[in-house]
Amino acid sequence: MESRYRALLEGPQANTEAWLEEQLRHARVLPDDLPDDPRKLPQWADEHTRRVANEHALYLQQRREGAPRRYFTNRAHALWFLHQVAPTKAVDGAWLHGMLWQWQDPRFHGLIRTFLEELGDGDPHCNHVLIFQRLLSRLGCRQSPPLEPARYLQGALQLALGQHCERFLPEVIGYNLGYEQPPLHLLITTHELAELGIDAHYFQLHVTIDNAASGHANLALSSFADLAQDEGPAFYERVRHGYRLNDLGDDTPSMVASFDLQTELFEALERKGLYGQCMHSDRCRLSGRTINEWLAEPGSMPAFVQALEDQGWVKRNADPKESRFWSVIEGPTAPMFGVFDAYEKQLWYDWIAGTWQGPAVRRVPPGQWERALQLQTQPPIFPRTTDVDTLIRAMAGNRHASQQGLNATRAFIQATGLMHGGLL
Ligand SMILES: [Fe+2]
Ligand SMILES: [Fe+2]
């Protein structure tokens, strides 16, 4: 799945339509919560919004009454989550790319507006893909651990749909209808990331921009109405199948719940072992074996970590600063400075800390860092004569997040007159 995702990022692939058909066959047999009568879609959206609001209020009340976080047991868990969703977030909006070709037809303008907002209208401050990438960079999490194939499925679907909007128009409309309804897990994620000192601007932004009153959720509904107007029941049936594509692969709450701190730590160490097994002097010994011997033997990490604990290098369920091992890996003068990246250090930290209630993390207001950012917006470099097709091609996949793609986005908006509120 990862190779399909990466190939689609590069551009159209020969077998994509057949692959999409196959995914739709999987989706077709799933249940959905859409009304049988499409005229009831506005009520359905209202009910969805109301239900999410009620469940969110209940969540907040439980938290006020002392309930623990529902999603993230610790900060490592939250960073792990960001890695898991990164392939999807890296192509935010991609399923709508092909709508751009229809820019002369007003019935498509709602979906095109949604797509342009995902791209921040070509402003790097507001481009969703860039906002997520900056979040990972600030956290020192640009480097991803290996992910399960399922994590690439939604991203691959989005890229594939975006490349075949014409053939799969009803399915794209349905997919968009599902993706743009703000779910409960988005609200919980936003709350708990901020609580763990992680700037949740990216998530907060989606709470507002996808809102049902005037945001992407509403545009998704009105676009359906515009485009399904003269169509029969078969069209709506296909919309429903596209909607169900959202349910293929992991659902967020169970994906979040599958995290296991110790397993993640051992796996991270196993990967490090490959590089570290020849880096230590033979004077470094632990329980009678050299560190190189420990690291050279696959599957020995649980015993290695146990030995660290037995020999007093690690004191669990206490402030990690009290562990000798922590001072070896953390800080600019630490002997192993730079060996572990930010995510791996957080795994160590939270595993050592265990039941120890650390110092309260300062809640980070979403957007704190994004506001501090001063980016220079460049004037479009595309000559006025560039044809719209060239601009559209420069906005495909996640290329719209490059300097060239941002310029193309602004030039596209100028060339087509599809600016929002006359602000450009
Ligand atoms: Fe987005
Ligand atoms: Fe959106």
Side-chain angles (χ1 to χ4, degrees), residues 43-297:
Q43 284 116 286
W44 163 83
D46 286 348
E47 272 160 38
H48 172 88
T49 309
R50 208 171 315 123
R51 196 172 55 245
V52 169
N54 288 342
E55 285 171 17
H56 185 226
L58 183 66
Y59 165 82
L60 290 176
Q61 187 195 333
Q62 288 169 343
R63 296 302 311 281
R64 273 195 302 273
E65 289 166 359
R69 282 185 296 272
R70 191 181 292 181
Y71 277 9
F72 305 129
T73 42
N74 46 48
R75 204 164 179 275
H77 194 172
L79 298 184
W80 175 87
F81 166 76
L82 295 177
H83 279 310
Q84 308 307 307
V85 297
T88 315
K89 305 301 180 196
V91 296
D92 199 8
W95 63 96
L96 292 173
H97 175 259
M99 298 296 173
L100 295 179
W101 302 106
Q102 312 297 333
W103 64 273
Q104 302 197 54
D105 183 340
R107 293 176 306 154
F108 288 88
H109 287 175
L111 295 173
I112 291 177
R113 174 88 320 257
T114 302
F115 183 70
L116 293 173
E117 282 177 14
E118 301 292 340
L119 273 50
D121 283 325
D123 178 345
H125 292 87
C126 309
N127 181 290
H128 293 191
V129 169
L130 283 175
I131 293 172
F132 193 77
Q133 283 174 356
R134 282 194 295 268
L135 172 64
L136 291 182
S137 296
R138 276 198 305 276
L139 295 168
C141 289
R142 292 272 307 168
Q143 203 79 315
S144 171
L147 304 176
E148 279 180 35
R151 308 289 191 254
Y152 293 92
L153 174 63
Q154 284 295 325
L157 274 173
Q158 295 182 0
L159 290 164
L161 288 169
Q163 289 170 8
H164 296 283
C165 280
E166 212 163 335
R167 170 159 170 197
F168 294 96
L169 177 65
E171 287 84 359
V172 176
I173 293 171
Y175 184 83
N176 185 65
L177 198 58
Y179 200 87
E180 296 288 2
Q181 305 290 324
L184 177 66
H185 62 72
L186 176 66
L187 299 169
I188 297 180
T189 306
T190 306
H191 189 86
E192 297 193 357
L193 287 176
E195 199 173 318
L196 287 161
I198 296 170
D199 185 338
H201 173 62
Y202 177 88
F203 297 88
Q204 179 68 50
L205 166 78
H206 283 86
V207 175
T208 47
I209 206 168
D210 293 342
N211 81 81
S214 57
H216 292 178
N218 184 261
L219 283 175
L221 267 184
S222 55
S223 300
F224 167 79
D226 290 344
L227 290 159
Q229 223 169 39
D230 307 318
E231 306 286 345
F235 187 90
Y236 183 54
E237 201 49 34
R238 288 180 59 190
V239 168
R240 290 183 84 156
H241 297 157
Y243 175 84
R244 293 175 201 168
L245 286 176
N246 282 289
D247 291 332
L248 294 185
D250 314 305
D251 75 283
T252 302
S254 23
M255 185 266 278
V256 169
S258 72
F259 173 79
D260 181 76
L261 179 61
Q262 181 156 294
T263 309
E264 288 301 317
L265 176 67
F266 290 167
E267 281 177 9
L269 290 176
E270 199 75 44
R271 291 193 296 273
K272 279 282 128 117
L274 286 175
Y275 307 101
Q277 55 185 270
C278 305
M279 308 287 241
H280 294 81
S281 136
D282 278 347
R283 278 176 295 130
C284 309
R285 299 178 86 85
L286 187 70
S287 297
R289 299 168 79 182
T290 68
I291 302 296
N292 291 338
E293 283 167 350
W294 276 110
L295 298 181
E297 191 192 325

